[in-house]
Amino acid sequence: MDISKAKSLLKANYRPPAKRWDILNDCLEGFKTIVLIDGVFLEEYPPSPKEILTVIQQGTTVFGSSSMGALRAVELRRVGMQGSGFVYRSYLNRHVVDDDEVAVTFNYDSGKAYSYALINLRYTLGRLQENKLLTEEEGQSLFQFQKEIYFPFRTFSSLKYSCEEVFGLRGKVIFDLIKTNWIDIKALDAEVLLRSLATNSERGVLCLKN
């Protein structure tokens, strides 16, 4: 999600994708509510479950959604981390099992993504199938082709190539259909959570910092 949009939804202190010790340091700074959306995958170590458990035990409320936040929320749901959204439910119900589906590469300074998240393709293909624009077999064939690509190389260029490989002469039409109907479910999950927190904040039940 674009940071400017996030700020328009909820007034809070925003950080880059979380790395190891970031959440613990935020807790030590006095933050009593922490929302984990994105975390690093390749650049450095991500926040560990033990780190998040420590801050929960210190009385900090931790929400997770969308990406790394969804993964950790599934792992820590029984000890108090609160998860929400399509991505969270997909991992919770084991419809998705591989962490790489939410992983992307990005510029750490600007936040600009270099690749796309496979779970966004999964969701988009699912919607196209529901609307009878693709068959289930077509969707599964394309998804598996992209699944076999290492996540830093899952770009729209590679997706276009995959469409051409899977569908031949229809490849360009299928690719254009996907791009036109593309749904960033990770961003939508984050937006829904931020809107919910903003509503609770207005009601006086959300504390972002001491």
Side-chain angles (χ1 to χ4, degrees), residues 72-109:
R72 292 293 180 260
V74 170
E75 295 168 328
L76 297 167
R77 65 191 183 281
R78 292 189 175 90
V79 295
M81 187 170 178
Q82 301 180 44
S84 64
F86 172 85
V87 178
Y88 169 77
R89 293 189 300 273
S90 295
Y91 282 98
L92 178 64
N93 298 324
R94 297 194 64 78
H95 295 154
V96 180
V97 295
D98 296 324
D99 293 359
D100 75 303
E101 287 207 26
V102 296
V104 298
T105 52
F106 61 93
N107 184 300
Y108 193 78
D109 294 323

